[in-house]
């Protein structure tokens, strides 16, 4: 039903019909149609409305462009007043004709005066041009909104296309590091990596996934990192969700912050830690990630794509409706992220 209504609003012909119906209704009420005594009087009334409608269309197609395209408001006002004067004089002269005197279109003497015709021209012009301008700006706004949505969709797809290889690159680096130290565990780890890759591929074309699936993916990734550096790094992961199945989230949105913590927080042999806490209460997701910063850093290969793209995705998806606080105090790196999630039932 809403889609059909939107189609009607977007259709120029339906808009034109609505404008004519609105202005003609106002015109007939103003001129007391119930006093029309003959078919000739009705035709004369329609003829008068046609003149008023032609005046409004003349203003619409020849004078309004002066205002909107050339930005000359004074010229537009002068020409509009001149057009109102010409058409009001034309209507007044018609009411003075002999053939019109036999038509009971106007019952009162003041309705045959020039002032009344001037008011008719001005009133009808406003009644016709006002909805036309409103519909015009509605179409412009709708077009700009559609173009913005399309552009944002293209940007999101582009960011996803960059983020997925970035995640793949980091995951294989992790797998490579484990295979060097624990070659006998490599087959099982390859299976875990394949599950991560499956989720990534399946969620790639989805705008939203369930929070439960996203948290399961994050948990699998954390377990993989524990296999790699758990023997020398303190890793804690805790999640408290009031109802995992009730919420949806954009896929692969949180993983960049967690990846970054493991990449830069575990790059030294000295004691290090990564702490991840995810909570959701009344739909408010709170991600808190803290990792140590080694005093003696080893060289870490970083493309700096993950965090940058994730922040750009956040801006496109949530606008200003999220909070992201990143702190670096030389000893620890803290990411604190909050956003209100939507429910599947909405």
């Amino acid at each position: 039903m809403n889609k059909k209504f939107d189609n009607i609003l977007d259709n120029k012909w339906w808009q034109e019909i609505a404008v004519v119906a609105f202005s003609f209704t106002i015109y007939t009420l103003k001129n007391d149609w119930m006093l029309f005594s003959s078919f000739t009087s009705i035709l004369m009334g329609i003829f008068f409305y046609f003149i008023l409608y032609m005046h409004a269309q003349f203003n619409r197609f020849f004078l309004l462009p002066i205002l909107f395209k050339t930005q000359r408001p004074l010229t537009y006002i002068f020409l509009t007043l001149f057009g109102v004067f010409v058409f009001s004089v034309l209507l007044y002269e018609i009411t003075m004709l002999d053939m019109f005197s036999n038509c009971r279109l106007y019952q009162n003497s003041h309705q045959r005066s020039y002032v009344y015709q001037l008011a008719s021209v001005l009133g009808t012009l406003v009644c016709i041009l006002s909805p036309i301008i409103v519909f015009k700006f509605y179409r412009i706004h709708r077009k700009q909104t559609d173009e913005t949505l399309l552009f944002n969709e293209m940007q999101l797809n582009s960011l996803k296309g960059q983020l997925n290889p970035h995640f793949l690159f980091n995951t294989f680096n992790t797998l490579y590091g484990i295979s060097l130290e624990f070659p006998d565990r490599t087959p099982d780890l390859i299976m875990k990596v394949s599950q991560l890759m499956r989720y990534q591929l399946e969620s790639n074309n989805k705008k939203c996934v369930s929070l439960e699936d996203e948290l399961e993916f994050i948990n699998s990734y954390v377990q993989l990192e524990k296999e790699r550096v758990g023997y020398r790094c303190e890793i804690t992961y805790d999640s408290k969700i009031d109802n995992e199945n009730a919420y949806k989230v954009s896929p692969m949105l949180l993983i960049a912050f967690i990846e970054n913590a493991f990449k830069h927080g575990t790059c030294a042999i000295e004691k290090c830690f990564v702490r991840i806490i995810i909570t959701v209460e009344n739909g408010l997701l709170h991600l808190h990630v803290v990792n140590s910063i080694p005093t003696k850093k080893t060289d870490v290969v970083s493309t700096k794509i993950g965090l940058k793209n994730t922040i750009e995705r956040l801006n496109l998806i949530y606008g200003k409706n999220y909070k992201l606080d990143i702190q670096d105090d030389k000893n620890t790196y803290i990411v604190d992220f909050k956003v209100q999630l939507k429910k599947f039932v909405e």
Side-chain angles (χ1 to χ4, degrees):
M1 185 66 183
N2 291 334
K3 189 174 182 181
K4 289 183 178 180
F5 184 72
D6 289 340
N7 291 336
I8 291 175
L9 284 178
D10 291 335
N11 189 291
K12 290 184 178 181
W13 290 107
W14 280 112
Q15 292 175 3
E16 201 69 34
I17 292 172
V19 170
V20 171
F22 170 74
S23 59
F24 191 70
T25 301
I26 299 297
Y27 172 76
T28 56
L29 293 174
K30 176 181 73 70
N31 287 299
D32 302 328
W33 277 75
M34 68 287 295
L35 298 177
F36 284 14
S37 59
S38 66
F39 183 69
T40 303
S41 298
I42 295 175
L43 289 179
M44 188 60 71
I46 294 175
F47 173 70
F48 264 67
Y49 172 77
F50 180 76
I51 294 176
L52 294 170
Y53 182 75
M54 286 298 99
H55 167 245
Q57 294 301 319
F58 174 81
N59 190 295
R60 172 187 180 182
F61 289 107
F62 294 99
L63 302 186
L64 272 181
I66 296 176
L67 177 63
F68 291 121
K69 293 184 179 180
T70 63
Q71 302 293 318
R72 291 187 291 172
L74 293 179
T75 303
Y76 170 75
I77 293 173
F78 173 78
L79 293 176
T80 296
L81 293 176
F82 179 74
V84 169
F85 171 75
V86 170
F87 274 86
S88 60
V89 170
L90 175 64
L91 288 179
Y92 176 72
E93 291 299 327
I94 292 176
T95 60
M96 295 295 104
L97 297 176
D98 292 337
M99 67 173 190
F100 188 80
S101 61
N102 298 324
C103 174
R104 297 180 62 195
L105 180 63
Y106 294 136
Q107 301 302 306
N108 302 316
S109 59
H110 77 274
Q111 292 178 317
R112 295 174 181 266
S113 67
Y114 171 73
V115 174
Y116 185 85
Q117 301 306 324
L118 178 64
S120 296
V121 173
L122 278 172
T124 310
L125 180 65
V126 172
C127 289
I128 293 176
L129 284 189
S130 296
I132 285 176
I133 293 174
V134 169
F135 280 128
K136 179 180 178 66
F137 279 100
Y138 168 79
R139 290 195 300 269
I140 293 174
H141 176 72
R142 182 68 178 268
K143 183 180 179 181
Q144 290 176 342
T145 301
D146 291 342
E147 289 176 351
T148 301
L149 289 174
L150 180 61
F151 179 73
N152 287 349
E153 189 70 25
M154 292 173 62
Q155 279 189 302
L156 282 173
N157 290 335
S158 175
L159 291 172
K160 282 184 180 180
Q162 297 175 30
L163 189 61
N164 290 345
H166 173 266
F167 175 77
L168 188 66
F169 173 78
N170 288 337
T171 303
F172 277 111
N173 270 348
T174 298
L175 185 61
Y176 174 73
I178 297 174
S179 65
L180 291 178
E181 298 186 26
F182 310 101
D184 54 321
R185 290 156 57 185
T186 302
D188 292 336
L189 294 176
I190 291 177
M191 182 61 66
K192 290 183 179 180
V193 170
S194 69
Q195 293 173 352
L196 294 177
M197 296 299 104
R198 180 186 295 276
Y199 174 82
Q200 185 190 33
L201 291 173
E202 290 178 350
S203 64
N204 188 42
N205 296 323
K206 297 179 181 179
K207 291 184 178 180
C208 293
V209 295
S210 70
L211 181 61
E212 181 183 20
D213 291 341
E214 188 72 5
L215 292 180
E216 185 178 344
F217 169 76
I218 291 174
N219 181 64
S220 297
Y221 180 79
V222 172
Q223 295 305 318
L224 185 65
E225 289 291 351
K226 283 184 177 181
E227 293 283 352
R228 180 174 71 92
V229 295
Y231 68 97
R232 61 178 177 83
C233 181
E234 177 195 343
I235 300 173
T236 57
Y237 170 69
D238 185 31
S239 63
K240 295 179 181 179
I241 317 298
D242 53 10
N243 190 349
E244 294 180 358
N245 294 317
Y247 304 109
K248 56 184 177 181
V249 65
S250 182
M252 307 288 292
L253 192 64
L254 307 177
I255 192 65
F257 300 119
I258 298 171
E259 275 188 292
N260 189 71
F262 281 107
K263 182 192 299 183
H264 298 283
T266 63
C267 60
I269 300 178
E270 64 193 72
K271 186 164 181 64
C272 53
F273 64 87
V274 174
R275 297 166 188 156
I276 305 165
I277 301 174
I278 301 177
T279 60
V280 176
E281 185 175 355
N282 296 324
L284 181 64
L285 183 144
H286 184 194
L287 171 69
H288 188 75
V289 182
V290 183
N291 64 267
S292 57
I293 299 178
T295 54
K296 296 181 180 179
K297 297 182 181 179
T298 57
D299 293 333
V300 178
V301 179
S302 177
T303 59
K304 297 183 180 180
I305 291 177
L307 279 178
K308 178 183 176 182
N309 281 4
T310 299
I311 293 173
E312 289 184 15
R313 284 182 67 198
L314 287 172
N315 291 332
L316 288 172
I317 297 172
Y318 299 107
K320 296 181 179 180
N321 299 320
Y322 75 92
K323 293 182 179 179
L324 177 62
D325 182 27
I326 298 178
Q327 300 178 19
D328 185 351
D329 63 2
K330 296 183 179 180
N331 294 318
T332 57
Y333 190 85
I334 304 172
V335 173
D336 197 78
F337 171 66
K338 294 180 180 179
V339 67
Q340 188 69 36
L341 299 178
K342 292 182 178 181
K343 293 186 177 181
F344 271 112
V345 294
E346 292 182 347

